[in-house]
Amino acid sequence: MKKQLGPTQNFYPMPCPVVVGGTIDDPGALAVAWINIVSQTPPTIAMGLRRTRHTLERIRATGDFTVNIASTGQAAQVDLFGIVSGRTADKFAATGWTLSPSSSITAPIIDQCAYNLECRITNEVEVGEYAVILGEVVESHAEETLLDQTGKKCDVAKLDPLVYVAGSREYRGLGPKVADAFSCGKPLLPAGE
Amino acid sequence: MKKQLGPTQNFYPMPCPVVVGGTIDDPGALAVAWINIVSQTPPTIAMGLRRTRHTLERIRATGDFTVNIASTGQAAQVDLFGIVSGRTADKFAATGWTLSPSSSITAPIIDQCAYNLECRITNEVEVGEYAVILGEVVESHAEETLLDQTGKKCDVAKLDPLVYVAGSREYRGLGPKVADAFSCGKPLLPAGE
């Protein structure tokens, strides 16, 4: 038996990277759960930011931003980037996290986050009190020790990305592998398809 | 030491709901990993669909769609919705999954998925070969047995939502709780803040 719960922003699961805008000398950064890839050609990320956000000003000023994925062991640092405003606290001083130049854009990447995406804004859509920013992923960086055997992408078990759970407002990690995608559904197809 | 990996659509983690468009008699449905909330006011979901997708035609025809979250035990069914086209296979016959009317929109919800969102299209943005659809979440439904003690939202451990891992193209579940959000970062703040 199902129960109607009304309009909601609860959705499962969500990522929880730290998004950085601005420059190394004057950065803005915040934790963002409302973010995901939305296109492959070109690879594009979409994220929703409240329009009053300090970091949004930084992002618009340079027209680019970075997305920095942290591990479950870094939950406290990521959380700090979500609970205070850059207008009142120095989040980098509080976490001890540091920045390095990106290769293709102005916004810097976070050294302590193992996987970093460089994104250039291609579009912005207003949705109520939020700005939905679309950014093309023009470059990515990963810790070499976390790559899989191809050397071209992360081993997700080694990356151990932080996951945000809406509703209960908690952080989790990923569980063990359940099945192979683009494969485990094939036995359900009628013979011959 | 970090390695540059170039432009990429690999991002961690991703959800993997089944999106349904059309009507109960003529539905279109597919698994979508490129989807997330992007606004709270109003609650809005964004998803990227390849513009040639059969289900996209259905979604545009009625101007709405549903997002149906499955559990880790339903990986094979979700996978089937991702590996064949509705033009060549009856995905509902293959999975045995059934549809029920939504309460506020035309597109139906999947009975066997424990959590369902009803979404009405508010905007569409072209991004290369993809359409980014924005939809306001106007209603939600959840299995009563999976609600938390408030009765107003899912207990994510009971929901056990399926997670998609890009790159390695595999399904996972969520791991155990790591920390409380909007809380675990506070000890990093300087005294008095």
Side-chain angles (χ1 to χ4, degrees):
Chain A
M1 186 73 180
K2 284 181 181 170
K3 182 179 178 182
Q4 281 182 229
L5 299 176
T8 183
Q9 69 275 11
N10 290 337
F11 183 67
Y12 313 95
M14 291 180 181
C16 202
V18 175
V19 170
V20 178
T23 63
I24 287 189
D25 294 330
D26 186 23
L30 82 174
V32 178
W34 295 352
I35 184 169
N36 201 351
I37 296 291
V38 290
S39 166
Q40 181 174 25
T41 53
T44 300
I45 220 160
M47 64 174 171
L49 297 180
R50 193 179 284 270
R51 285 199 268 143
T52 55
R53 283 288 197 174
H54 176 251
T55 301
L56 184 55
E57 299 167 18
R58 295 288 187 286
I59 289 172
R60 285 175 173 150
T62 65
D64 56 42
F65 59 94
T66 65
V67 179
N68 304 273
I69 293 187
S71 71
T72 60
Q74 297 172 313
Q77 288 88 344
V78 171
D79 196 56
L80 183 121
F81 278 94
I83 58 178
V84 290
S85 169
R87 290 192 181 91
T88 59
D90 184 337
K91 304 182 191 184
F92 289 95
T95 55
W97 281 7
T98 53
L99 295 164
S100 286
S102 284
S103 64
S104 304
I105 65 171
T106 301
I109 59 175
I110 297 177
D111 296 319
Q112 289 77 10
C113 292
Y115 186 57
N116 321 89
L117 304 177
E118 301 183 17
C119 305
R120 193 171 286 138
I121 296 178
T122 54
N123 212 326
E124 180 177 334
V125 182
E126 282 195 14
V127 180
E129 296 174 32
Y130 288 74
V132 178
I133 306 287
L134 300 180
E136 180 175 343
V137 183
V138 295
E139 185 56 270
S140 62
H141 309 256
E143 278 295 340
E144 283 181 344
T145 54
L146 304 184
L147 296 176
D148 68 8
Q149 70 279 9
T150 69
K152 295 177 181 172
K153 55 185 192 295
C154 292
D155 179 323
V156 74
K158 294 178 184 168
L159 183 64
D160 187 20
L162 192 66
V163 181
Y164 177 67
V165 178
S168 56
R169 296 161 64 100
E170 64 190 33
Y171 299 112
R172 290 182 175 241
L174 293 177
K177 176 176 169 177
V178 169
D180 286 311
F182 304 98
S183 168
C184 69
K186 287 180 184 171
L188 298 178
L189 283 172
E193 286 193 59
Chain B
M1 187 71 180
K2 284 182 180 169
K3 182 179 178 182
Q4 281 184 227
L5 299 174
T8 182
Q9 69 275 12
N10 290 337
F11 183 67
Y12 312 95
M14 291 181 181
C16 202
V18 175
V19 170
V20 178
T23 63
I24 288 189
D25 294 331
D26 186 23
L30 82 174
V32 178
W34 294 353
I35 183 169
N36 201 351
I37 297 292
V38 290
S39 166
Q40 183 174 23
T41 53
T44 300
I45 220 160
M47 66 175 171
L49 297 181
R50 192 178 285 270
R51 286 200 267 142
T52 54
R53 282 289 198 173
H54 176 251
T55 301
L56 184 55
E57 299 167 19
R58 295 288 188 286
I59 288 173
R60 285 175 174 152
T62 64
D64 56 41
F65 59 94
T66 65
V67 179
N68 304 271
I69 292 188
S71 70
T72 59
Q74 298 172 313
Q77 288 87 343
V78 171
D79 196 57
L80 183 121
F81 277 94
I83 58 178
V84 290
S85 169
R87 291 191 181 92
T88 57
D90 184 337
K91 303 183 191 184
F92 289 95
T95 56
W97 280 8
T98 53
L99 295 164
S100 285
S102 284
S103 65
S104 305
I105 64 171
T106 300
I109 58 175
I110 297 177
D111 297 317
Q112 289 77 11
C113 292
Y115 187 57
N116 322 88
L117 304 177
E118 301 183 17
C119 305
R120 192 172 286 137
I121 297 179
T122 54
N123 212 325
E124 180 176 336
V125 182
E126 283 196 12
V127 180
E129 295 174 32
Y130 287 75
V132 178
I133 305 287
L134 299 180
E136 181 175 343
V137 184
V138 295
E139 185 55 90
S140 61
H141 309 256
E143 279 294 342
E144 283 180 344
T145 54
L146 304 184
L147 296 176
D148 68 9
Q149 70 280 11
T150 69
K152 295 176 180 173
K153 57 185 191 297
C154 293
D155 178 323
V156 74
K158 294 178 184 168
L159 183 64
D160 187 20
L162 192 66
V163 181
Y164 177 67
V165 178
S168 55
R169 296 160 64 100
E170 64 191 32
Y171 299 113
R172 291 182 175 240
L174 293 177
K177 176 177 169 177
V178 168
D180 286 310
F182 305 100
S183 168
C184 69
K186 287 180 183 170
L188 297 178
L189 283 173
E193 286 193 58

